[in-house]
Amino acid sequence: MHRRRFLSLVPALVAVAPRLRAQPAAQAGRQTVAVVPLGAFPPALIAEIDAGLRAELGVAVVVQGAQALPPAAFYPPRRRYRAERLLDFLRTVMAPPATRVLGVTEVDISTTAHGVRDWGLLGLGDLGGTACVISTFRCRMNAPSEAQVHFRMVTTCIHEIGHTLGLEHCPDTSCLMTDARGTVRTVDRTTGHLCPRCRSRVGLAPRP
């Protein structure tokens, strides 16, 4: 079955398949997310991602052992890794009790989009699927501080897991599910939280 993949892109955050009727979102509180480092990855940032997912989505989180980046995903002409192949790999290493898998890496990742063979991106996830992958590489672009890099990364991780739960882009520009619309700085302008509508769609109570 074909899944719509959502890309957190620089310079744009867009869907790469035709818009279809929205499907019911999964209940966030019933999900367990496996966080899988791909290659070397800072343990402190993994801890922040873990805490962010739990706090914002109410999911359980398990941190699986680091995996070597799969050679089959490497794209030699640009020395990047193909995100769609990383998703394929992540599905094979996701272990029970996980229902979703989040790959995190520091290497540059890309996919084919907008007629470009090798389009660099922040992250890629399957709408209503099980896998997503996010890279710190573009979170670091023009970041004023390491704290901002971490905010971008944690927010993007929650955003992509939100897509796997069935959330599409949100028209509320303060919501972390908003479309980046051409710049990673859009992430900076969000609250880092889901809006009330998106929280309701994944079965979460309103924020106090």
Side-chain angles (χ1 to χ4, degrees):
M1 176 175 145
H2 176 70
R3 294 282 189 190
R4 273 187 300 166
R5 285 175 173 168
F6 273 76
L7 300 85
S8 295
L9 299 168
V10 175
L13 176 64
V14 298
V16 294
R19 183 176 179 85
L20 306 174
R21 178 179 296 180
Q23 299 298 310
Q27 299 295 293
R30 298 178 183 176
Q31 309 304 317
T32 298
V33 176
V35 178
V36 180
L38 297 171
F41 199 84
L45 184 49
I46 292 175
E48 288 189 43
I49 292 167
D50 180 326
L53 290 169
R54 292 176 188 272
E56 191 61 31
L57 295 175
V59 295
V61 178
V62 293
V63 179
Q64 293 186 194
Q67 296 283 336
L69 285 152
F74 188 58
Y75 184 64
R78 300 293 295 277
R79 302 192 65 79
R80 294 170 167 172
Y81 283 80
R82 298 289 292 182
E84 69 277 8
R85 293 183 182 177
L86 293 177
L87 294 189
D88 292 340
F89 173 75
L90 286 165
R91 293 187 196 96
T92 70
V93 300
M94 183 175 71
T99 58
R100 300 288 188 279
V101 60
L102 165 65
V104 291
T105 185
E106 294 201 296
V107 302
D108 198 10
I109 60 176
S110 64
T111 195
T112 299
H114 307 292
V116 178
R117 163 64 182 155
D118 190 55
W119 184 280
L121 58 141
L122 289 168
L124 178 68
D126 281 338
L127 182 66
T130 59
C132 57
V133 62
I134 295 89
S135 169
T136 62
F137 188 88
R138 292 167 193 276
C139 288
R140 295 189 178 280
M141 289 184 169
N142 301 312
S145 66
E146 190 66 16
Q148 196 62 32
V149 173
H150 286 209
F151 175 82
R152 289 173 175 178
M153 186 66 180
V154 173
T155 301
T156 303
C157 286
I158 299 167
H159 179 111
E160 295 297 347
I161 288 293
H163 282 323
T164 72
L165 297 174
L167 291 178
E168 298 190 17
H169 290 143
C170 180
D172 183 343
T173 57
S174 69
C175 177
L176 66 78
M177 291 305 301
T178 193
D179 188 327
R181 297 189 183 279
T183 173
V184 68
R185 294 187 186 278
T186 302
V187 178
D188 301 341
R189 293 191 287 269
T190 72
T191 62
H193 299 296
L194 295 171
C195 70
R197 173 183 172 275
C198 287
R199 288 185 65 83
S200 176
R201 285 207 62 214
V202 292
L204 297 172
R207 295 184 68 82

